[in-house]
Amino acid sequence: MRKLRFHPCGNFKESYDQELSIFDTDFGRLWMIIGLVVLFGVIPFASGTYLLFILNTIGIYAIAALGLNLLIGYTGQISLGHGAFFGVGAYAAAILTTRAGFPFWLSVIAAGVFTAAVGVVFGLPSSRLKHLYLLIATLAGQFILEYVFVTWKTLTGGAEGIILSEARLFGLNLRDDRTFYFIVYVCLVVLMWTMVNLKRTRYGRAFIAIRDNDRAAEGMGIPIFLYKLLSFSISSFYAGVGGALFAYHMMSITPEPFNLWLSIEFIAMIIIGGLGSIPGAIFGTVFIVSLNEVLSHLTEYLMNVGVSTGAAITLAPLKEFVFGLAIVLFIIFEPKGLAEIWRVIRSSFRLWPFSY
Amino acid sequence: MDFFMQLLVNGISLGLLYALSALGFVMIFKSSSVLNLAHGELLAIGAFVFLVLSAWADLPIIIAFSLTLIGTFFLGFLVERLFLRPLIGEKLIEVIMMTLGLGIMFKGLLLFIFGGDIHAYPDFLPEGLSFELGNIFIPSVNVATFVIGILFLIVFGFFFKYSSQGIYMRSVADNQPAALSLGVHVRRVFAMSWAIAFIVAAISGIVLGIINGVNVHSLSAVGLKVFPVVILGGLDSIGGAILGGIIIGLLETFTGGYISTSLREIIPYIVLVIILMVKPYGLFGLVEIERV
């Protein structure tokens, strides 16, 4: 057995392999295994129905946030249409199961692929344009897709939406939150593993090169347009898979949730979590979904207490205010987001008591 | 034919509104190359400050109007100082995110204070401005919009072309490090450009408020309509913003009148995507040739 690796007291990497390694030390690997055991062995059995529902929501949004993180955090292209792409995934999955009778797993994958194709269409303007313009193009995409959801009644059911039939996988009923938990988190872990490794390939490095300096990247022989489109389609694929799971999670979909606000929430997730950080995307999702829950419970509580229902109604916009404030404060004080805070906490433990 | 004429007049007046609301946006982009996603909220802030001063505090219109301008000017300074100054020299993506966050924050705050209802200003425009063209009535608000738009075009055209402050602003927008090294006071220019943009947004917001009523949701939605307008006209062209606004306005009313009302809301964005693919720098925008 090879020697166990511990934290060195500095940066002593001798080869590119070491630079590319995912785990600096063997403790990292150990923690990952512990984490997986807790994720699949403890949490689903220890939490109640409500908590499971929230956890599933977190897992689904985290998948989409990972995709957006690839686009914004790694490739440096801002998208304001991620919520609509999420919706495309949801509708694709719902239509494929109800109309074409696709099984669950196939509809999820097909939804991802279809969303990736839609993403490419709206990513095309990026061929000639910098991120400013791409942002505007995706904003237009958001509105156009929303319009399609509402008006293409024969396919999407218009404002009434689509109700999904009961889905089964390996004979298990997916309506059960605990079963669905396993599916969501297996998807999340697989997609996260893919993303971590994507970052280490030539594609991942090309994305980062485009973000840091697109002219230099072009000079080094990276076909920027193709890579931007690739990044766009991978990001949309993640959104599509997330959306498909969302459709099965909710069991019925309407155009309403897939509005601009959802796109903004996704952006908030990855800014608060930390741009260009994979754990950051997860942290950000947990933060935003919990914030949503806490704020909506607070309003509900205030309504029930009946101090005055007027106060509770005026409290509702506070949610937007807190969202905006969180984004603003994170950009000013901790631009690297929760991931950086997490890293600081970790290394202060590691260096204790001689933090030099 | 009457229907057509009516649509034409409606389209032009709607387009002038869009043009007017796009001016503040172009102003910020031209002076600091920041894509301001909080523009709709800036319009709303101006409109609500004027509402408080004119309708609630019952001040005379002229005093309320000048106080609004002074107030939003300093508000602009404050916002720049608190939120945007820390980002000078940072990547553009963070500044855009910041404006997005600011927009959400302002919207939440305004909704919290004023609620989602539609408020109205007292009637103060002189009736003498309105006139009849053939058998179509053009209300004085639209005439005022037109006059204000042209006034802005002239004033800012000269400002950016000849005044030293305007030239500083253009230099900062073009290349921040180069401007810094040539001795341009970038921080002051930033502060100035945000303060002026707040004023412009306030004036546009007030005009929008006179016509459609003061409502947080509708005003912040106008902030998103600005994008097709400025892309069509060219992101940094004030004349382009006015022409783009009129074209988008006409397009909306004609689509609404002849094709379908539900398509009306979405047609500007469809046009936007097409323009981005065909002529990305718009009609009058500065073409940056960069083969990357």
Side-chain angles (χ1 to χ4, degrees):
Chain A
M1 191 185 154
R2 69 189 169 81
K3 242 171 59 185
L4 280 177
R5 279 187 293 164
F6 296 99
H7 279 291
C9 53
N11 195 349
F12 297 120
K13 286 171 179 148
E14 287 170 351
S15 66
Y16 283 115
D17 281 346
Q18 280 178 325
E19 181 71 39
L20 285 176
S21 66
I22 294 174
F23 299 109
D24 279 341
T25 63
D26 286 307
F27 278 112
R29 219 172 287 265
L30 182 69
W31 279 116
M32 187 194 74
I33 292 166
I34 293 173
L36 284 179
V37 168
V38 171
L39 187 64
F40 290 111
V42 180
I43 294 176
F45 302 104
S47 39
T49 330
Y50 172 69
L51 192 60
L52 273 175
F53 186 82
I54 300 297
L55 285 172
N56 287 346
T57 313
I58 289 178
I60 289 166
Y61 281 148
I63 292 172
L66 274 178
L68 190 62
N69 188 37
L70 176 79
L71 191 67
I72 300 186
Y74 289 132
T75 324
Q77 312 291 317
I78 310 175
S79 164
L80 266 177
H82 212 64
F85 294 140
F86 190 76
V88 170
Y91 271 104
I95 291 164
L96 285 176
T97 40
T98 50
R99 297 283 170 82
F102 275 37
F104 170 77
W105 61 273
L106 191 61
S107 71
V108 170
I109 295 171
V113 172
F114 180 71
T115 314
V118 174
V120 167
V121 172
F122 286 102
L124 277 177
S126 72
S127 60
R128 299 206 287 166
L129 302 164
K130 297 274 187 144
H131 50 238
L132 280 184
Y133 293 87
L134 184 64
L135 181 141
I136 299 172
T138 52
L139 180 74
Q142 167 78 40
F143 287 120
I144 293 171
L145 288 173
E146 262 181 58
Y147 174 75
V148 170
F149 294 155
V150 177
T151 42
W152 199 352
K153 288 206 172 75
T154 48
L155 200 62
T156 65
E160 286 100 63
I162 303 173
I163 295 168
L164 276 80
S165 48
E166 208 164 79
R168 288 184 169 275
L169 187 70
F170 307 130
L172 292 165
N173 186 354
L174 296 186
R175 193 158 269 182
D176 179 32
D177 277 329
R178 192 159 289 135
T179 322
F180 200 61
Y181 174 91
F182 284 103
I183 289 167
V184 168
Y185 279 88
V186 165
C187 285
L188 177 63
V189 168
V190 169
L191 288 172
M192 200 166 144
W193 178 81
T194 319
M195 187 65 83
V196 169
N197 284 298
L198 179 71
K199 205 179 92 180
R200 301 159 73 215
T201 60
R202 57 180 289 164
Y203 298 101
R205 288 194 295 275
F207 292 153
I208 293 172
I210 292 172
R211 175 194 68 188
D212 288 343
N213 191 334
D214 48 359
R215 283 173 237 189
E218 177 90 24
M220 286 159 78
I222 297 168
I224 289 201
F225 175 43
L226 287 182
Y227 275 86
K228 275 184 188 168
L229 272 192
L230 185 67
S231 166
F232 218 84
S233 60
I234 296 174
S235 144
S236 307
F237 177 81
Y238 274 66
V241 171
L245 290 173
F246 182 80
Y248 284 104
H249 182 47
M250 291 295 165
M251 295 316 284
S252 76
I253 48 170
T254 52
E256 201 178 318
F258 312 115
N259 51 17
L260 185 64
W261 180 246
L262 183 65
S263 299
I264 292 175
E265 275 189 19
F266 280 131
I267 289 183
M269 281 173 199
I270 62 165
I271 291 178
I272 289 170
L275 284 175
S277 152
I278 288 166
I282 312 288
F283 291 148
T285 316
V286 173
F287 183 88
I288 292 287
V289 174
S290 331
L291 189 70
N292 258 334
E293 284 303 313
V294 168
L295 288 173
S296 61
H297 274 277
L298 195 69
T299 7
E300 211 170 281
Y301 173 76
L302 285 175
M303 286 234 201
N304 286 342
V305 166
V307 188
S308 77
T309 39
I313 289 165
T314 49
L315 269 179
L318 269 191
K319 187 170 129 184
E320 292 192 14
F321 178 70
V322 172
F323 256 80
L325 193 68
I327 295 180
V328 165
L329 291 182
F330 266 98
I331 292 177
I332 293 181
F333 294 110
E334 192 57 88
K336 288 177 180 167
L338 288 170
E340 180 71 4
I341 295 176
W342 167 244
R343 199 190 63 78
V344 168
I345 292 173
R346 246 183 9 173
S347 58
S348 67
F349 269 107
R350 184 157 61 80
L351 298 172
W352 187 85
F354 301 116
S355 52
Y356 52 93
Chain B
M1 199 59 203
D2 260 4
F3 185 57
F4 177 82
M5 280 306 290
Q6 190 62 51
L7 284 182
L8 190 72
V9 171
N10 285 353
I12 289 175
S13 45
L14 182 71
L16 281 170
L17 279 187
Y18 286 155
L20 199 59
S21 37
L23 283 175
F25 181 89
V26 173
M27 178 76 206
I28 289 188
F29 188 83
K30 207 173 162 79
S31 56
S32 53
S33 74
V34 170
L35 195 75
N36 182 17
L37 290 174
H39 188 67
E41 284 74 19
L42 297 197
L43 298 174
I45 287 177
F48 273 103
V49 171
F50 185 64
L51 177 76
V52 168
L53 290 175
S54 69
W56 296 3
D58 227 1
L59 292 171
I61 293 303
I62 293 296
I63 297 177
F65 188 68
S66 11
L67 277 181
T68 308
L69 295 195
I70 295 167
T72 46
F73 185 77
F74 284 104
L75 206 60
F77 265 123
L78 190 71
V79 167
E80 195 275 339
R81 183 72 194 83
L82 286 179
F83 301 115
L84 290 141
R85 173 125 354 143
L87 297 182
I88 288 183
E90 295 286 334
K91 271 180 290 181
L92 206 57
I93 187 168
E94 288 188 357
V95 185
I96 294 174
M97 297 293 179
M98 174 59 95
T99 61
L100 181 68
L102 279 178
I104 304 168
M105 203 171 89
F106 288 151
K107 191 176 174 191
L109 203 61
L110 286 172
L111 279 174
F112 182 63
I113 300 172
F114 299 101
D117 305 330
I118 298 179
H119 305 269
Y121 292 133
D123 220 12
F124 57 82
L125 277 174
E127 280 302 312
L129 281 175
S130 60
F131 63 92
E132 281 192 21
L133 191 79
N135 43 9
I136 293 158
F137 178 71
I138 298 172
S140 48
V141 181
N142 293 351
V143 179
T145 319
F146 184 73
V147 172
I148 293 174
I150 297 299
L151 210 64
F152 269 127
L153 180 65
I154 295 166
V155 170
F156 284 112
F158 277 104
F159 177 74
F160 277 115
K161 192 129 196 191
Y162 297 110
S163 81
S164 54
Q165 197 68 35
I167 294 170
Y168 290 157
M169 283 180 178
R170 272 162 54 204
S171 74
V172 170
D174 189 45
N175 192 334
Q176 228 184 78
L180 259 174
S181 67
L182 286 171
V184 175
H185 199 317
V186 170
R187 277 178 297 175
R188 193 178 296 155
V189 168
F190 254 70
M192 231 18 220
S193 63
W194 277 87
I196 295 177
F198 260 74
I199 288 190
V200 177
I203 296 172
S204 328
I206 292 167
V207 175
L208 283 172
I210 295 169
I211 295 175
N212 298 334
V214 189
N215 174 275
V216 181
H217 293 292
S218 65
L219 281 171
S220 65
V222 169
L224 296 172
K225 271 284 163 54
V226 159
F227 288 105
V229 173
V230 293
I231 288 290
L232 180 60
L235 265 176
D236 50 3
S237 160
I238 289 174
I242 292 179
L243 196 65
I246 293 173
I247 294 174
I248 296 286
L250 285 174
L251 203 67
E252 264 195 36
T253 43
F254 278 106
T255 315
Y258 287 115
I259 304 172
S260 90
T261 40
S262 63
L263 194 66
R264 182 195 152 125
E265 290 297 309
I266 216 69
I267 191 84
Y269 297 104
I270 296 172
V271 172
L272 170 63
V273 173
I274 295 169
I275 302 163
L276 280 177
M277 296 204 182
V278 180
K279 194 167 166 42
Y281 296 106
L283 297 174
F284 303 106
L286 184 69
V287 180
E288 296 170 53
I289 294 175
E290 211 174 79
R291 305 249 174 258
V292 172

